[in-house]
Amino acid sequence: MNALIDPVAELDAADPLRQFRDEFLLKDGQIYLDGNSLGALPRATLARMETTLREEWGEGLITSWLGADWVNSPGRIGDKIARLIGAESGEVIAADSTSVNIFKALTAALSLQSGRRVLLSEQTNFPTDVYMMQGLARFSGEAIECVAVDPGKVLDSLNEDVAVLLLTQVHYKTGSTRDMAKVTRRAHEVGALVVWDLSHSAGAIEVDLNGANADFAVGCGYKFLNGGPGAPAFLFAAKRHHHAQPVLSGWFGHARPFAFEEDYTAADGIMRFLCGTPPVLAMTALECGIDLMLRADMPEIRRKSVALSELFIEWMDQRCGEFGFELISPTDSSIRGSQVAYAHPQGYEMMQALKARGVIGDFRAPDVMRFGLTPLYLRYADVVDAVERLRAICISREWDRLEYRTRATVT
Ligand SMILES: *Cc1c(COP(=O)(O)O)cnc(C)c1O
């Protein structure tokens, strides 16, 4: 490295997103590489939550459903998310968890596919996605069949029996991406519908749902959208599918919830996919995270994400190359999301030792160390510093301690 010009400092100085870091509450000296699991706290969220609690709830009480527009929060926030994922306003709601939205999207898609009985996914999909399919198949008395195939065999497994294909666009472990337009086209060729899980896509990469002619999608609010722990998730349904029949037919999805009618009539449009009362406090925090993200330019976020990942991989090669890390993310940035993952037999212990040195990533069984790269609050210098701390741990072997071997319940 040139002593006069530090190239990494130059990158940070020229970074068009650099001012966003100060918008987050981050601890000095800590390098947070887990924004793909739980995004950081925007400073604006703190102040906004105080207002929602004191003024809207405390003073406004029930009048705030209208006065503070709580009642429209699922659609209002959904419209904002739509701008990040290539959807139109009126096609997205913020509601429930990703798991519940998977169930809602699968059943809605099934209601459009009479005569077909197969739900298709890949074996290595995020477990909850497959679990939700399995529960649905069991509930149907096996009228519906759940098929999870090898990731490389998904396209070949599409046939006229497949009602719905459920896939995650950015793989939660490896970060490898699927070509949404191509897969959707192939599924439509055999008459199947696709539900895309965008949990690791929204706020991380450019997504164009309508450009890909997508049917349904779901995604997570607490990862790259910085919506807070357990934030509400989102659900997208293309306009042409708004006549699909909701199975979770709760009163918030009713055409006239406050008419208290005896029978269910689905609301028009995306609102029929609501179920119960929105969790207003959590919705407030989610909206703050999204408002912040909307101030940044998505192509710029993607450019920086690629640059951070390339720097991370290059530095790992140079500084940790001799310690047995196996890159399991694609080396080609065009098919990699905003995270980099390495397999290592001592991955769990190493991640514990890294955390003790202020670098927070996470671990996914059996041996994967994941490093999320969030362009809004990470600096290029952080990436280099994180790899240097990992190198120090490898040289000192400080991961080899008894206390780092015990597996915690959350990894
Ligand atoms: C994080 C994640 C989820 C999370 O689902 P929850 O219901 O919010 O727990 C689902 N699918 C994928 C692909 C994820 O990465």
Side-chain angles (χ1 to χ4, degrees), residues 36 97-100 102 125-126 128-129 168 170 172 197 199-200 220 222-223 231 233 370:
N36 55 327
S97 65
T98 305
S99 303
V100 170
I102 288 170
N125 201 343
F126 189 84
T128 205
D129 296 53
T168 300
V170 178
Y172 79 104
D197 187 332
S199 289
H200 287 278
C220 200
Y222 51 80
K223 292 171 178 160
R370 283 199 316 182

Side-chain angles (χ1 to χ4, degrees), residues 237-395:
K239 285 226 163 89
R240 65 181 180 282
H241 295 320
H242 284 185
H243 60 293
Q245 215 34 55
V247 169
L248 295 185
S249 47
W251 72 308
F252 256 72
H254 194 282
R256 295 163 295 277
F258 285 88
F260 298 101
E261 293 169 9
E262 288 185 8
D263 291 316
Y264 178 79
T265 308
D268 285 339
I270 191 70
M271 293 309 158
R272 66 174 51 195
F273 299 112
L274 291 177
C275 184
T277 309
V280 172
L281 301 181
M283 296 289 268
T284 302
L286 173 64
E287 190 164 19
C288 291
I290 291 161
D291 283 342
L292 180 54
M293 179 134 272
L294 283 171
R295 280 172 40 209
D297 178 48
M298 201 61 223
E300 201 62 68
I301 290 178
R302 175 62 179 159
R303 257 193 299 283
K304 183 174 172 190
S305 158
V306 168
L308 287 170
S309 317
E310 285 178 348
L311 182 65
F312 189 83
I313 292 170
E314 187 190 315
W315 221 265
M316 279 294 285
D317 268 357
Q318 286 184 21
R319 303 291 287 165
C320 292
E322 72 263 44
F323 300 113
F325 294 95
E326 183 203 344
L327 178 66
I328 60 162
S329 299
T331 50
D332 176 357
S333 297
S334 71
I335 52 163
R336 191 180 58 235
S338 207
Q339 66 182 59
V340 176
Y342 289 87
H344 192 287
Q346 272 76 48
Y348 183 79
E349 294 89 327
M350 284 195 169
M351 194 51 90
Q352 302 312 304
L354 255 185
K355 284 180 186 163
R357 279 195 180 239
V359 179
I360 304 190
D362 65 21
F363 173 81
R364 288 294 173 261
D367 60 357
V368 176
M369 300 172 78
R370 283 199 316 182
F371 301 97
L373 299 162
T374 45
L376 287 190
Y377 49 87
L378 273 184
R379 298 166 297 204
Y380 292 93
D382 295 325
V383 162
V384 168
D385 194 358
V387 176
E388 289 303 325
R389 293 190 207 182
L390 180 56
R391 177 176 166 82
I393 285 163
C394 293
I395 291 173

Side-chain angles (χ1 to χ4, degrees), residues 99-113 118-121 128-137 144 146 163-167 193-196 216 218 235 245 247:
S99 303
V100 170
N101 284 331
I102 288 170
F103 184 87
K104 294 196 290 186
L106 288 175
T107 47
L110 277 169
S111 79
L112 304 170
Q113 294 284 63
V118 172
L119 298 177
L120 177 66
S121 192
T128 205
D129 296 53
V130 179
Y131 298 162
M132 294 311 288
M133 289 189 0
Q134 290 169 342
L136 186 49
I144 291 162
C146 167
V164 192
L165 169 62
L166 171 65
L167 283 180
L193 296 175
V194 188
V195 175
W196 286 101
F216 294 90
V218 299
L235 180 146
Q245 215 34 55
V247 169

